[in-house]
Amino acid sequence: MAAALVFAFATVLLYASATGVGYELTNPARISPTYDFAGHSHALMFGVVSLILLVVLLAVMVGNTLDRRHEGFVLGAVVVLWSICPLVAGRFESQAATASAGRWALAIFLLTGATLYAFRERLWPGRVNQPAQLTNSRALLLALTLGPLVLLTFAATVNAIMYVPARGPQSGIFHAMSGVI
């Protein structure tokens, strides 16, 4: 049941952020599709309630990990933490910078996860005595971050190379950095 809730939460966040990503990466001459939930705005997914749900799901995953010591809950915790990336990216839709914010959030998440894995023995001495069990969570971390990160970066780069100008970020920090970075 917990795995289904985590999967549903991550999927809904991805679906909600698809409107902003599509808007940023399409040509201004084209109309970007809007993905809503049965007539309800997709922007509702990026509110405080989603943050509360994220904290509750993370508490369930971490609590079960510590109590039951089952790897499935570690994988669920990785997915819940990864869900922060589309949640943060969706908050930048008003600046038309969802894809840019998503790339940066994924890169920061990957850097944080890799650092925690690298220093896990110093951070939790004696707790990590079976590194083979962490192989699946490492693979999941890499798949969840590198897949979308490469895809979003590749889409913006191909648009720039092919002289098909994407809309790109319209304001804010990502506009100042440019859409290709």
Side-chain angles (χ1 to χ4, degrees), residues 91-131:
R91 302 291 297 166
F92 288 90
E93 187 174 350
S94 63
Q95 300 174 8
T98 307
S100 298
R103 284 190 313 223
W104 279 95
L106 287 166
I108 291 169
F109 180 68
L110 179 61
L111 179 66
T112 305
T115 304
L116 287 175
Y117 276 118
F119 295 112
R120 69 184 178 273
E121 293 167 358
R122 289 186 184 170
L123 294 172
W124 299 283
R127 304 272 283 187
V128 184
N129 48 359
Q130 297 162 341

Side-chain angles (χ1 to χ4, degrees), residues 14-159:
L14 273 177
Y15 184 76
S17 63
T19 297
V21 170
Y23 185 77
E24 180 182 351
L25 295 179
T26 57
N27 192 320
R30 295 180 60 202
I31 296 173
S32 177
T34 302
Y35 304 105
D36 288 330
F37 301 105
H40 299 289
S41 175
H42 65 279
L44 294 173
M45 190 60 199
F46 305 117
V48 176
V49 176
S50 292
L51 187 61
I52 293 169
L53 182 59
L54 183 127
V55 170
V56 168
L57 285 173
L58 185 60
V60 167
M61 291 297 132
V62 170
N64 280 323
T65 298
L66 295 175
D67 185 42
R68 298 181 184 182
R69 305 248 186 241
H70 191 270
E71 187 185 16
F73 295 111
V74 174
L75 298 176
V78 170
V79 172
V80 170
L81 288 171
W82 173 83
S83 296
I84 294 172
C85 297
L87 186 62
V88 168
R91 302 291 297 166
F92 288 90
E93 187 174 350
S94 63
Q95 300 174 8
T98 307
S100 298
R103 284 190 313 223
W104 279 95
L106 287 166
I108 291 169
F109 180 68
L110 179 61
L111 179 66
T112 305
T115 304
L116 287 175
Y117 276 118
F119 295 112
R120 69 184 178 273
E121 293 167 358
R122 289 186 184 170
L123 294 172
W124 299 283
R127 304 272 283 187
V128 184
N129 48 359
Q130 297 162 341
Q133 290 183 344
L134 295 175
T135 304
N136 289 337
S137 59
R138 261 185 293 199
L140 181 64
L141 174 73
L142 290 174
L144 286 175
T145 54
L146 290 179
L149 187 60
V150 168
L151 183 66
L152 290 173
T153 304
F154 184 71
T157 305
V158 166
N159 283 344

